[in-house]
Amino acid sequence: LATCLERLEKEHLIGKLDKPIDSRELSDAGLSPPRHADHFLKEIEDYSESDIEAFRTNIDLIEGWLKPLPNLDQLIIIQESHPDLYEWIVQEAEELGLMDTTPESLLKQTITQYERTEPLLQRVLNDIKRVSESVVWVSDHQEEIESAKERIRDQRLLGLMQADGNRRAFDDLARGFYRTLQELRKQQEWRRRHEVIDVNPQEARGQEVPQPTS
């Protein structure tokens, strides 16, 4: 049983140490990751340099399309000149409820959320821009991220060691207290059983005890 508990405790500690590092921890470590960076912290290695450059291009293009939004003729040109990005735009729009994927419908559709209505295309372009910015940020800050991860893991280990030390110290105190309590109870029980009661022999036999005369 003790071996099993030690194994479970070890697995629990390793799990805490190896828990994925999120953007909140990176912020605490002095970095400023974008809000949606968590998803790409683990997966950035899956992207090639050409993928990263495509994301950079997406950012530049979308910034030009947002102010103002493209009209129908411009959107058709975008569809022809940037087919991959346009396909991504349509996919995101479909996930938000777009049924007719023609450029005309994409321009006319609106979306309402939290009592705010905006053009669907604007919402989709902003979402794609945020994702692209997150990927690029993670790619551009790999060294700082790895350095921060090391510091975070060290802090996690230190915290676990301190918590484990406090727990063990508490356990030692608790064991010492219960040992002392058990010894005290044993002594009290021994005294109870062996206590000598000072009783007059005549009283013990039910005889009248003579009273002293003056």
Side-chain angles (χ1 to χ4, degrees), residues 129-183:
K129 182 171 177 282
R130 279 192 289 266
V131 169
S132 299
E133 288 172 340
S134 296
V135 174
V136 170
W137 184 91
V138 173
S139 175
D140 289 347
H141 294 80
Q142 278 294 283
E143 291 187 9
E144 296 96 321
I145 291 171
E146 290 305 316
S147 178
K149 283 182 176 180
E150 290 299 321
R151 297 197 302 272
I152 292 168
R153 291 191 185 98
D154 289 344
Q155 291 171 354
R156 285 180 179 179
L157 180 59
L158 179 61
L160 289 172
M161 290 173 63
Q162 290 175 339
D164 186 62
N166 291 336
R167 180 179 59 79
R168 292 183 186 277
F170 175 80
D171 290 344
D172 290 341
L173 288 172
R175 283 193 291 270
F177 170 77
Y178 285 114
R179 280 198 300 269
T180 302
L181 183 61
Q182 289 174 354
E183 290 297 325

Side-chain angles (χ1 to χ4, degrees), residues 30-84:
L31 297 180
S32 301
R35 199 173 108 202
H36 302 279
D38 284 350
H39 179 71
F40 305 103
L41 291 174
K42 291 191 306 179
E43 300 184 0
I44 193 63
E45 296 178 358
D46 296 337
Y47 295 101
S48 65
E49 290 186 12
S50 60
D51 292 331
I52 302 300
E53 288 308 310
F55 283 114
R56 292 187 197 279
T57 301
N58 290 346
I59 296 170
D60 292 337
L61 290 171
I62 291 173
E63 284 180 348
W65 297 340
L66 281 170
K67 297 178 181 180
L69 288 175
N71 57 34
L72 180 58
D73 291 337
Q74 292 169 329
L75 190 58
I76 291 174
I77 293 174
I78 291 170
Q79 182 182 16
E80 296 172 351
S81 58
H82 304 285
D84 292 339

Side-chain angles (χ1 to χ4, degrees), residues 11-27:
E11 291 176 355
H12 176 68
L13 293 177
I14 291 175
K16 283 193 170 184
L17 284 174
D18 292 342
K19 184 181 71 171
I21 291 171
D22 57 29
S23 57
R24 178 188 58 79
E25 290 177 295
L26 290 178
S27 296

